[in-house]
Amino acid sequence: MIALDRHPSGRHFLQIPGPSPVPDRILRAMSLPTIDHRGPEFAELGKKVLSGLLRVFQTRHPVVVYPSSGTGAWEAALANVCSPGDALLMFETGHFATLWQRMALRLGLAPEFLSVPGTDAATGLPWSWRRGVQADMIEARLRADSSHAIKAVCVVHNETSTGVTSDIAAVRRAIDAARHPALLMVDTISGLACADYRHDEWGVDVTVSGSQKGLMLPPGIAFNALSPRALDTAKTAKLPKSYWAWDEIVEMNRGGYWPYTPNTNLLYGLSEALDMLLEPGLDAVFARHQRWGEGVRAAVRAWGLPIECADPAVYSPVLTGVITPAGIDADALRRLIHDRFDLSLGTGLGKVKGRMFRIGHLGDCNDLTLVATVAGVEMGLKLGGVGLAGSGVQAAMDFFAAHPQAAGLAAAA
């Protein structure tokens, strides 16, 4: 029996859908000496970061930055615009939409959770976890709310647990068609800087995001992008808040500072990440992620396995969820792949735990990264007793060869 090497050579393949691998360029930036967060040098850093974030969120309005995880940004979004007992309309698209709904309950709000009814007979999985937000259902519910009791509509843009990227512009159109005053609040924690996202154009009032996905940073920074209407609503909201309150932060940000001790070295990394995204341009970054997603999905189709997202119109450019055959424990398969090939894949969460795994294709990747990832998964599937229709490795290579990255799109994410 051959003993497993607990300290393998080579690099670990971190192919979960976040935290994503941190590029060396960002790690070097984070190693700079910590500076006085009340001094003029820090103000320059603060202003640069805040200006770059406007471009990434595609907004002209304030983006609030917190030293926290994305969960903190969820709470900040709700706490700043809601009062105790406020009604919310939320949509079940997966595990993270569910967690945001649970948070709303814990904060003393009254969320109504819409979902696509039924179960997919072929996989036994709920349809709500295989499709995106259904804007028509939101419109119908808002039309029925003649008293305008619903304070906000809360949806997830890129549902990390399933690999579905919902149409946020369609949700805004639905709210407008219903002539309802509800705010639109969107979680794009995993979508930002990977999938096209337009805070202003899509009429979003509060956008929630985090540092550890498309921005390629370690966890520890979270964001609320705000509309003027959200800022006005916050003036009369009654939920308790202090650390999360927008007003003091927005005011001090005008000079490049924060009202608390900021995470300086992560802001160095954020500054570098913004340069890496804006140098090639966001369109190039989005196109790169779309291409990577198509290459990985070509592999999954070649294996003959179902993709978690059942609607090709909303396939995520960030990750691909892979459903394992009945009787195959997806978590056991992930452990096998990790132990044999030093490759980490995302676990199934919530209602799909044990039935699927997730391949991340975001941030600091390239074609060879993903071909190697597909190879590790394919070897693991075979070792795990999964019968495959064909070679996913060959399918991915064929796709990338037939769809070369266009000139100007090849800069590292």
Side-chain angles (χ1 to χ4, degrees):
M1 182 176 180
I2 300 175
L4 291 175
D5 184 356
R6 295 302 177 188
H7 301 282
S9 60
R11 76 169 183 86
H12 173 66
F13 273 71
L14 183 66
Q15 297 304 135
I16 63 176
S20 62
V22 180
D24 290 346
R25 181 171 162 181
I26 292 176
L27 291 172
R28 287 193 295 270
M30 290 170 55
S31 71
L32 292 170
T34 303
I35 58 175
D36 175 12
H37 61 283
R38 297 288 178 246
E41 185 180 357
F42 182 88
E44 292 181 14
L45 172 65
K47 289 178 180 178
K48 177 181 183 292
V49 164
L50 292 166
S51 174
L53 287 171
L54 299 183
R55 296 175 63 186
V56 171
F57 281 90
Q58 301 195 56
T59 182
R60 297 175 291 110
H61 305 297
V63 177
V64 173
V65 181
Y66 297 103
S68 82
S69 67
T71 304
W74 274 349
E75 182 164 344
L78 295 174
N80 276 282
V81 300
C82 294
S83 297
D86 275 351
L88 303 175
L89 187 61
M90 309 182 92
F91 205 100
E92 182 182 11
T93 48
H95 186 65
F96 292 97
T98 303
L99 291 180
W100 202 9
Q101 182 253 0
R102 290 178 186 172
M103 173 184 282
L105 287 170
R106 291 173 67 95
L107 291 174
L109 302 172
E112 179 180 346
F113 211 25
L114 296 180
S115 64
V116 177
T119 300
D120 175 23
T123 64
L125 299 180
W127 273 120
S128 58
W129 286 53
R130 299 197 67 197
R131 296 189 178 276
V133 176
Q134 304 297 298
D136 59 335
M137 294 176 64
I138 290 175
E139 181 179 343
R141 180 63 188 91
L142 293 177
R143 286 185 182 277
D145 180 30
S146 57
S147 64
H148 292 169
I150 295 171
K151 185 64 170 285
V153 174
C154 304
V155 295
V156 174
H157 174 224
N158 188 81
E159 177 55 74
T160 326
S161 65
T162 62
V164 172
T165 303
S166 290
D167 186 344
I168 302 304
V171 177
R172 167 44 68 190
R173 290 194 297 271
I175 297 172
D176 292 345
R179 298 185 178 180
H180 198 286
L183 297 167
L184 175 56
M185 304 172 72
V186 179
D187 164 354
T188 187
I189 291 173
S190 61
L192 189 75
C194 298
D196 190 10
Y197 188 82
R198 309 179 189 188
H199 178 86
D200 284 3
E201 183 179 327
W202 293 345
V204 182
D205 292 296
V206 184
T207 296
V208 173
S209 197
S211 59
Q212 73 274 20
K213 309 282 188 173
L215 290 173
M216 303 173 289
L217 291 160
I221 306 182
F223 311 96
N224 280 178
L226 313 176
S227 73
R229 188 159 167 252
L231 285 165
D232 286 343
T233 303
K235 295 174 183 177
T236 56
K238 296 295 191 294
L239 273 184
K241 55 193 168 292
S242 176
Y243 179 80
W244 303 119
W246 292 334
D247 53 359
E248 290 185 359
I249 302 173
V250 171
E251 181 59 34
M252 288 202 68
N253 279 174
R254 299 182 198 281
Y257 299 104
W258 273 260
Y260 46 69
T261 304
N263 39 9
T264 305
N265 289 65
L266 277 176
L267 292 177
Y268 280 138
L270 177 57
S271 174
E272 195 69 21
L274 292 169
D275 287 346
M276 294 175 72
L277 293 165
L278 297 173
E279 283 165 4
L282 291 176
D283 287 344
V285 173
F286 300 150
R288 180 164 61 240
H289 283 82
Q290 289 284 356
R291 179 175 171 275
W292 288 338
E294 286 298 323
V296 171
R297 288 188 292 271
V300 179
R301 293 189 191 97
W303 292 329
L305 297 177
I307 295 170
E308 172 72 14
C309 177
D311 181 1
V314 291
Y315 279 153
S316 171
V318 180
L319 73 141
T320 297
V322 184
I323 300 174
T324 53
I328 298 293
D329 183 341
D331 287 336
L333 185 65
R334 287 176 49 255
R335 288 192 293 271
L336 169 65
I337 292 170
H338 178 271
D339 290 345
R340 289 293 298 271
F341 306 115
D342 201 18
L343 165 62
S344 288
L345 301 170
T347 185
L349 299 167
K351 294 180 180 180
V352 296
K353 183 171 177 56
R355 288 301 320 280
M356 57 90 76
F357 61 88
R358 297 170 295 150
I359 302 173
H361 34 79
L362 70 160
D364 191 31
C365 283
N366 60 30
D367 292 4
L368 290 181
T369 303
L370 296 175
V371 169
T373 297
V374 168
V377 175
E378 185 165 312
M379 288 188 288
L381 289 168
K382 290 180 178 178
L383 290 171
V386 178
L388 303 179
S391 171
V393 177
Q394 189 63 55
M397 290 194 299
D398 289 346
F399 178 86
F400 289 134
H403 300 84
Q405 191 123 291
L409 303 188

